[in-house]
Amino acid sequence: MTTSPTVLITGANRGIGLEYVRQYAQEGNTVYAAVRDIAQAVELQALAAKHSHIHVLALDIADLTAIQALARQLSEISIDILISNAGVYPPSRLGQTDPQAWLQAFQVNTLTTYYLAEAFLPHMQRSRQAKLIAMTSKMGSMSDNGSGGEYIYRSTKTALNMVVKSLSLDLQPFNIAVAALHPGWVRTDMGGPNGLIDTKTSVAGLRKVIAGLDQAQSGEFIAYDGKQVPW
């Protein structure tokens, strides 16, 4: 008899993060849904009211001490799937970049995945085969950049991909598989109304990729449809 995995998801208040919570909870998984402002996460709270196994947690993902505090708060649990999903997308183009926004984007989009891995390593070690997932983007692909611009978002996701690659090697001795996943162009607040797919389609595909992820695929850049994305 297999047990349902315990999942920790950041940026769980809307879009892809919220849909992850919804789909994992519907299958009876224990879900720890982390958001910066619980009071603002109205839809998530409504979902949690319907599922007793959804636990809504406050976490400012840009605050290292907050990540460490949450790890201590959850010190007794085992985490099977950790999804680093929270992200920001400050607009930027040549001649119009905000240096402070760039630094903040690196903090949120890049550094937090590493610090989540570091803080929650003991929790993942308790799992028989834990999986660490970083939500990245094809916009972080060097090979796929044919339009330029978006300096802030692109550079932070490219850097995240390198963090994922290093983590996949460093966490291999603990049998923790790591992957950078591209959700597709999704209709969300970040992706905009012209996205090609909805969150339900994206997350269903992402969960299929996560379910099949093992050490042989650890460190890879994979799209929601299972296809490899060029670095």
Side-chain angles (χ1 to χ4, degrees), residues 116-165:
L116 283 166
E118 188 176 70
F120 286 93
L121 178 57
H123 309 66
M124 291 187 287
Q125 283 182 271
R126 296 190 191 104
S127 174
R128 295 177 64 180
Q129 187 179 357
K131 300 173 185 184
L132 172 61
I133 304 301
M135 294 306 302
T136 186
S137 170
K138 192 181 286 186
M139 289 185 71
S141 166
M142 303 284 282
S143 302
D144 193 66
N145 186 354
S147 60
E150 302 302 343
Y151 292 92
I152 293 177
Y153 190 71
R154 287 187 186 279
S155 62
T156 58
K157 290 300 186 178
T158 302
L160 172 60
N161 292 346
M162 182 58 79
V163 170
V164 167
K165 186 63 178 179

Side-chain angles (χ1 to χ4, degrees), residues 23-83:
Q23 291 193 22
Y24 275 117
Q26 285 174 345
E27 292 191 351
N29 300 286
T30 298
V31 180
Y32 291 89
V35 297
R36 185 173 60 179
D37 187 343
I38 293 178
Q40 296 279 332
V42 177
E43 197 170 351
L44 175 61
Q45 289 191 70
L47 189 61
K50 298 178 182 178
H51 299 277
S52 61
H53 44 280
I54 296 177
H55 306 278
V56 181
L57 307 165
L59 175 64
D60 181 353
I61 201 66
D63 184 348
L64 172 57
T65 59
I67 293 174
Q68 295 169 336
L70 183 61
R72 290 192 297 271
Q73 179 183 336
L74 303 178
S75 61
E76 300 301 317
I77 73 166
S78 170
I79 293 178
D80 302 295
I81 302 172
L82 196 166
I83 302 176

Side-chain angles (χ1 to χ4, degrees), residues 209-220:
V209 172
I210 293 169
L213 183 66
D214 57 19
Q215 283 297 329
Q217 284 186 303
S218 190
E220 293 186 355

